[in-house]
């Protein structure tokens, strides 16, 4: 059933009394991703499954904040991308070929959705329930999540079973079909042992499927993997394979590894390929999230006063987000003045007055699931000092070089290499480092994909039209750095979201001023918040 058919049906139902619940749902925003989008993504996913294979994707866990208060629920982005379903305690199974159901019906997808429960819905909100989920999401087969326990799906009969890394923070609740139970039921049906280690398992299977002419390369690859996952070294099969002295002994090790259809990597790899390229619908939402974030930056530029706190500045950004209907921040907002700006993911935002310093503001509105990631750095007092301006302009030049390197077919590393070259050269010219000296003033990468996640999945391969990446060089000079004190506590990051196009790129966040002159001009403008006056609670 298409979205339009559902709308027509709901309108018809509204003509009858007693449908106030449905009528209220009609008043929701109308620009979410369409049912057809999610359906097309499932189709694209199924086409990438190997023959006779199955993929299982779980909803995110509900996470506890403290006592009886949970964090706001956020769906697993892969699960949302493939289904559009926003509720917890559910799972979706996608098959490479249609399967026959108990009544002879054929289906190649099944969602196990949360049951309706009037009492719980009164406290925590409405649920679609399996029946309506089938219609609204247009998924071939939707069953109550409690049906998975008895579902006749023989996972051992498939050539590949794709599944995600299991979360280790899933709580068992009173329900017998919560996420905890769904995962355990799946583990038991698929024969996944208690001590299953996805990395070890993947390496074992790689060894098993490798050809003798590749053994040496593979041994070196595995050895490199043990550097960032030292636990792998304790595994006897891995130890023996790396240390083996001959092709013959490696052949024996490979032959001793049992064949397994469990594949904890296929799902991740395909989701990287699919989510890297944004469709028109996705770009519309992403553009909106980015534009909202830019307006946040602009309004803060206008409203900034030196005596403002980091918290208040954060509040102005987030007020703008909500004013435009962006539900959340895509990641915890970063507002750091002076030294605090040197802390890359500073989220305390509790300095009482930003006076005298540069204020680094890295915030992204999340609009219908898609998040922006935009950083501007501005002087609390409205004018850059000479030192602040010099550092700022290096970062700006580095960012321009990085953005120029955003070309289809170009390397994902190219923006970073271009930005780093500028920063290294200019820092040496200012005498902050010696020429060729390695330094820690630019300690992070320059680009990542952005989308449903702020650090969105992608292949890392040549840049492709339709993907969106950040370009975000920075220079951070905390007090105590080995350079003249006049540079201390200057921290600058400038971050824009860049769409790769067929012919080059488009800066989606160009609306937010970037140059020293444009920022100072914007800061001199009147703010709509100027006359906002609230009572002084300390004087009451
Ligand atoms: N806001 C996090 C980042 O820039 O990657
Ligand atoms: Mn970023
Ligand atoms: Mn950022």
């Amino acid at each position: 059933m298409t979205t339009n058919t559902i709308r027509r049906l709901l309108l018809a139902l509204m003509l009858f009394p007693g449908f106030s619940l449905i009528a209220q749902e009609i008043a929701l925003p109308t620009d979410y991703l369409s049912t057809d989008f999610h359906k097309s993504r499932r189709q694209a996913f199924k086409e990438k499954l190997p023959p006779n294979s199955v993929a299982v994707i779980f909803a995110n866990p509900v996470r506890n904040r403290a006592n009886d208060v949970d964090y706001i629920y956020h769906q697993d982005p892969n699960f949302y991308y493939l289904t559009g379903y926003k509720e917890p305690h559910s799972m979706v199974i996608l098959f490479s070929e249609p399967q026959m159901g108990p009544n002879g019906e054929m289906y190649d997808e099944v969602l196990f959705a949360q049951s309706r429960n009037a009492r719980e819905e009164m406290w925590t909100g409405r649920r679609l329930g399996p029946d309506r989920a089938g219609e609204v999401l247009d998924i071939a087969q939707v069953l109550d999540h409690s049906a998975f326990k008895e579902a006749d799906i023989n996972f051992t009969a498939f050539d590949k079973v794709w599944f995600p890394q299991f979360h280790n923070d899933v709580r068992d609740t009173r329900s017998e079909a919560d996420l905890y139970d769904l995962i355990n039921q799946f583990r038991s049906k698929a024969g996944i042992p208690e001590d299953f280690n996805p990395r070890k398992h993947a390496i074992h299977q790689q060894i098993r499927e490798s050809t003798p002419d590749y053994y040496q390369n593979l041994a070196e690859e595995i050895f490199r993997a043990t550097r960032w996952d030292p636990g792998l070294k304790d595994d006897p099969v891995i130890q023996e394979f790396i240390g083996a002295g001959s092709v013959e002994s490696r052949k024996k090790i490979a032959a001793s590894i049992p064949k397994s259809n469990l594949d904890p990597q296929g799902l991740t790899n395909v989701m990287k390929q699919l989510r890297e390229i944004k469709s028109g619908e996705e770009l519309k939402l992403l553009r909106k999230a980015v534009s909202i974030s830019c307006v946040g930056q602009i309004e803060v530029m206008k409203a900034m006063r030196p005596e403002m706190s980091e918290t208040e500045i954060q509040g102005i950004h987030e007020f703008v987000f909500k004013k435009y209907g962006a539900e959340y921040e895509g990641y915890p907002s970063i507002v750091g003045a002076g030294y605090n700006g040197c802390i890359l993911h500073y989220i305390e935002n509790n300095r009482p007055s930003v006076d005298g310093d540069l204020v680094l503001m890295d915030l992204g509105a999340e609009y219908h699931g898609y998040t922006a990631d935009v950083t501007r750095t501005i002087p609390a007092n409205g004018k850059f000092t000479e030192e602040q301006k010099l550092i700022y302009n290096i970062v700006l030049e580095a960012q321009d070089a990085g953005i120029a390197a955003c070309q289809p077919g170009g390397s994902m590393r190219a923006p970073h290499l271009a930005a780093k070259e500028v920063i290294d050269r200019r820092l040496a010219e200012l005498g902050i480092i010696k020429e060729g000296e390695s330094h820690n003033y630019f300690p992070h990468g320059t680009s990542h994909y952005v989308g449903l996640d702020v650090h969105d999945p992608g292949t890392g391969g040549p840049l492709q039209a339709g993907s969106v990446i950040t370009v975000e060089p920075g220079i951070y000079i905390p007090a105590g750095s080995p350079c003249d004190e006049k540079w201390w506590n200057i921290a600058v990051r400038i971050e824009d979201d860049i769409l790769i196009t067929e012919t080059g790129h488009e800066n989606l966040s160009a609306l937010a001023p970037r140059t020293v002159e444009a920022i100072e001009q914007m800061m001199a403008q009147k703010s709509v918040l100027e006359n906002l006056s609230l009572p002084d609670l300390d004087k009451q």
Side-chain angles (χ1 to χ4, degrees), residues 331 345 362 372-375 444-450 454-455 469-472 493 495-497:
Y331 53 92
H345 284 175
D362 181 344
D373 187 8
V374 178
T375 307
H444 57 76
T446 298
S447 297
H448 57 79
Y449 303 98
V450 64
V454 63
H455 296 157
I469 63 169
T470 63
V471 176
E472 51 173 309
R493 176 160 70 250
E495 176 171 27
D496 283 82
D497 299 338

